Amino acid sequence: MRIAMISPEVTPFAKTGGLADVAGTLAVALEHLGHEVSLVMPAYRCVLRGGFALEGTSMRFSVPLAERNEEGAVLKAGLGKNITVYLVRADRYFDRDSLYGTSAGDYPDNAERFVFFSRAALEILRHNPVDIAHCHDWQSALAIVFLKSQAERYPELASSHTVFTAHNLGFQGIFGQSEWPLLDLDRIYFSPQYLEFHSHVNFLKGALVFADKITTVSPTYAREILGAEQGFGLEEVLQGRADDVVGILNGVDYGQWDPAVDPWIAERYTESNLTAKRSCKRGLQGALGLPARDKTPLLGMVSRLTSQKGFDLVEKIFDQLMARDLQMAILGSGEERYEEFFRRAAKRFPKKVGVRVGFDEALAHQIEAGADVFLMPSLYEPCGLNQMFSLKYGTIPVVRAVGGLKDTVEDCDPEQETGTGFVFGPYEPEALMAAVERALQSYGDKKAWTALRRRAMSMDFSWERSADAYSNLYQQLRS
Ligand code: ADP
């Protein structure tokens, strides 16, 4: 099949979260299955200046935006064996410091930027028709809306099927009604059956209405989003499409995330050579200015610092944690209040808490390898990658039983010698603390801990299985 992935982020070109890993790695895994795969993404500044081998093309296009037309060009890059990455170039939109905004907030023209991107993606596909157009998140959702509601404009794509993956219902691309003209769509679509959402325009909702199939990134999350608690106001739309909603668990790129081959960590290790993990722990303690303490349990976190990730629970149990003999290694960036909280925590407890505010790929790997326990107490978690990385690194995850965390971590039962981590249910500080206590207790039992680590490391969430599931879904659409 000819498959195009249209995504606002693709590893290694541009990444703010798991979506980038998914788009890049899934494309490569689908290519391994024999499909002809291409990717479409914006040519952000980090792409233009990132040292990638970029190739110019003669392709220019012009797309309608409100009353005018906007022009753009296309660059090409490569991925995998033979994947073409089409980069939509329009420097006034994408040659900026960040992908979506600054610490002061989102860029005010995000609606326009991603209307433009979605239209541009369809222009590229018109010249390179595909069987499947697979769009990711609100930034590319409108490509599906335009293709389905204005089919006469895209005759070359008349036989293309569409798949939309919602990576996180918390981000929908909701804009004021005044942005509606940018979409150049018939006014009938600004209504509650289509893109209207409480008098606003909702890009993601458009894709949920128009896509042939909707996927999300874990089976549990696919069920959760049908309910009010996790549907973010779109649960009724999703219920109406329930037969077309599929949960496919993300995979892990073990070429990048495997302690046996990881170039970023102090010493490589495998299940049968866990002593080398100690060097990684020392390396991590050194990197964050913590004293080297082999026996003290080290708790790691790598995350966007947002309330979705359960940081309010961490805040609430923080003093209890500090009363214990443990250390913490935290890497993240996001909401000011959490950045400030952890900066202050590191100052208050310099021997116990090491913090780096920012985005740091190397340190993310070093925390996975060097920590003993990994915390992910998320309020909601569509899939989550870090807990799967943690399992591979023998760094025992403490997670809340929600979304993909529930699908990937099995609660440890020391009596039965089963399980791969520590799982708690209620979104309450006491429940998180109790799970941490269980982890610390287990850590104190060397034999049980080693066995637990081995069980965790033997889990396999490779992309092949997920790529097969996507491939079957595409096939269903074509038959
Ligand atoms: P989400 O997509 O909700 O942010 P995931 O767990 O699915 O969460 O994916 C997060 C990805 O981003 C992982 O690859 C993780 O290692 C990475 N990541 C998150 N924050 C940082 C950071 N501050 N520095 C480096 N990598 C980070």
Side-chain angles (χ1 to χ4, degrees):
M1 274 178 277
R2 292 166 304 169
I3 302 157
M5 296 273 162
I6 304 172
S7 174
E9 299 181 23
V10 178
T11 302
F13 301 99
K15 164 170 169 175
T16 68
L19 154 69
D21 296 318
V22 176
T25 325
L26 174 58
V28 173
L30 287 167
E31 183 183 46
H32 279 162
L33 291 180
H35 299 301
E36 194 184 314
V37 187
S38 58
L39 282 152
V40 184
M41 67 174 291
Y44 300 109
R45 179 172 295 173
C46 60
V47 180
L48 298 172
R49 300 191 188 170
F52 301 105
L54 307 180
E55 198 187 308
T57 73
S58 56
M59 194 181 161
R60 302 280 177 280
F61 58 85
S62 171
V63 298
L65 260 173
E67 300 295 293
R68 57 187 203 280
N69 284 299
E70 284 286 345
E71 295 183 354
V74 181
L75 299 174
K76 277 205 248 181
L79 192 69
K81 253 199 254 123
N82 217 356
I83 297 174
T84 302
V85 183
Y86 295 102
L87 300 153
V88 173
R89 179 153 200 190
D91 291 352
R92 61 202 174 284
Y93 291 133
F94 303 123
D95 185 11
R96 301 185 187 179
D97 279 342
S98 315
L99 271 52
Y100 312 124
T102 63
S103 55
D106 290 345
Y107 291 130
D109 59 348
N110 272 351
E112 181 170 336
R113 296 171 77 220
F114 291 102
V115 169
F116 176 84
F117 172 63
S118 298
R119 287 273 181 206
L122 291 178
E123 291 304 314
I124 292 170
L125 297 198
R126 282 176 66 183
H127 291 87
N128 306 276
V130 291
D131 302 302
I132 304 289
H134 186 160
C135 296
H136 297 264
D137 276 359
W138 71 265
Q139 297 91 332
S140 60
L142 292 179
I144 293 177
V145 176
F146 297 148
L147 183 57
K148 293 285 179 176
S149 65
Q150 297 176 325
E152 72 288 352
R153 290 196 193 178
Y154 305 102
E156 303 84 348
L157 303 175
S159 60
S160 301
H161 299 279
T162 55
V163 175
F164 180 72
T165 298
H167 293 260
N168 188 336
L169 264 278
F171 301 94
Q172 299 181 7
I174 299 174
F175 301 97
Q177 196 176 341
S178 59
E179 309 277 18
W180 175 255
L182 288 171
L183 279 64
D184 197 37
L185 282 179
D186 194 299
R187 187 82 198 171
I188 60 161
Y189 296 117
F190 189 73
S191 59
Q193 303 99 289
Y194 296 105
L195 278 76
E196 185 183 346
F197 185 73
H198 305 292
S199 309
H200 286 63
V201 189
N202 185 325
F203 289 13
L204 185 122
K205 184 180 174 196
L208 299 184
V209 172
F210 282 104
D212 295 323
K213 288 281 178 192
I214 298 161
T215 77
T216 189
V217 288
S218 69
T220 294
Y221 192 58
R223 286 190 296 278
E224 289 169 345
I225 56 177
L226 300 179
E229 203 176 303
Q230 303 237 18
F232 283 93
L234 293 176
E235 56 276 11
E236 284 180 21
V237 184
L238 284 158
Q239 285 159 19
R241 300 284 330 260
D243 289 346
D244 293 313
V245 177
V246 185
I248 300 176
L249 194 70
N250 285 337
V252 172
D253 179 358
Y254 288 123
Q256 301 284 330
W257 293 95
D258 178 348
V261 298
D262 193 327
W264 303 103
I265 62 180
E267 195 174 334
R268 296 181 189 165
Y269 60 91
T270 61
E271 272 169 70
S272 52
N273 174 27
L274 272 169
T275 45
K277 197 169 175 0
R278 247 182 258 151
S279 320
C280 297
K281 184 166 177 174
R282 285 202 193 140
L284 175 60
Q285 288 163 326
L288 289 174
L290 293 169
R293 286 181 184 157
D294 287 348
K295 297 224 164 79
T296 302
L298 177 50
L299 278 50
M301 292 186 89
V302 178
S303 182
R304 288 182 292 117
L305 298 178
T306 67
S307 39
Q308 179 208 326
K309 300 292 182 178
F311 284 103
D312 50 335
L313 295 189
V314 176
E315 238 177 28
K316 284 181 184 132
I317 65 165
F318 193 73
D319 288 342
Q320 276 170 277
L321 289 175
M322 289 300 103
R324 308 289 305 250
D325 175 31
L326 55 77
Q327 291 178 320
M328 293 184 81
I330 291 150
L331 166 64
S333 64
E335 286 172 31
E336 182 67 31
R337 61 175 271 223
Y338 295 123
E339 290 189 356
E340 210 27 55
F341 175 83
F342 285 116
R343 278 202 196 96
R344 246 185 303 122
K347 277 204 192 109
R348 276 172 66 206
F349 301 98
K351 298 206 164 120
K352 292 193 145 188
V353 182
V355 172
R356 174 108 23 109
V357 171
F359 198 91
D360 186 334
E361 190 74 33
L363 187 59
H365 287 252
Q366 287 152 11
I367 292 178
E368 287 294 0
D372 298 298
V373 172
F374 197 92
L375 298 186
M376 277 181 90
S378 304
L379 175 61
Y380 72 95
E381 192 61 75
C383 177
L385 293 172
N386 280 300
Q387 83 282 11
M388 293 193 272
F389 302 158
S390 300
L391 290 168
K392 188 70 184 173
Y393 283 74
T395 300
I396 302 306
V398 170
V399 304
R400 181 157 174 261
V402 69
L405 299 174
K406 190 172 172 181
D407 292 338
T408 52
V409 182
E410 188 196 336
D411 193 33
C412 178
D413 181 339
E415 304 283 295
Q416 303 294 322
E417 298 182 10
T418 57
T420 52
F422 296 89
V423 183
F424 67 99
Y427 192 74
E428 287 161 9
E430 298 76 23
L432 169 58
M433 192 62 210
V436 172
E437 297 277 8
R438 288 169 59 215
L440 295 178
Q441 196 171 9
S442 180
Y443 178 82
D445 179 344
K446 199 156 181 262
K447 201 159 149 256
W449 189 253
T450 304
L452 171 57
R453 277 188 161 157
R454 295 227 161 96
R455 288 198 297 277
M457 292 177 84
S458 70
M459 298 300 291
D460 182 2
F461 296 103
S462 51
W463 264 106
E464 284 72 44
R465 185 187 33 86
S466 313
D468 268 337
Y470 281 106
S471 187
N472 290 338
L473 185 77
Y474 302 150
Q475 202 65 57
Q476 264 179 42
L477 286 174
R478 296 189 68 220
S479 51

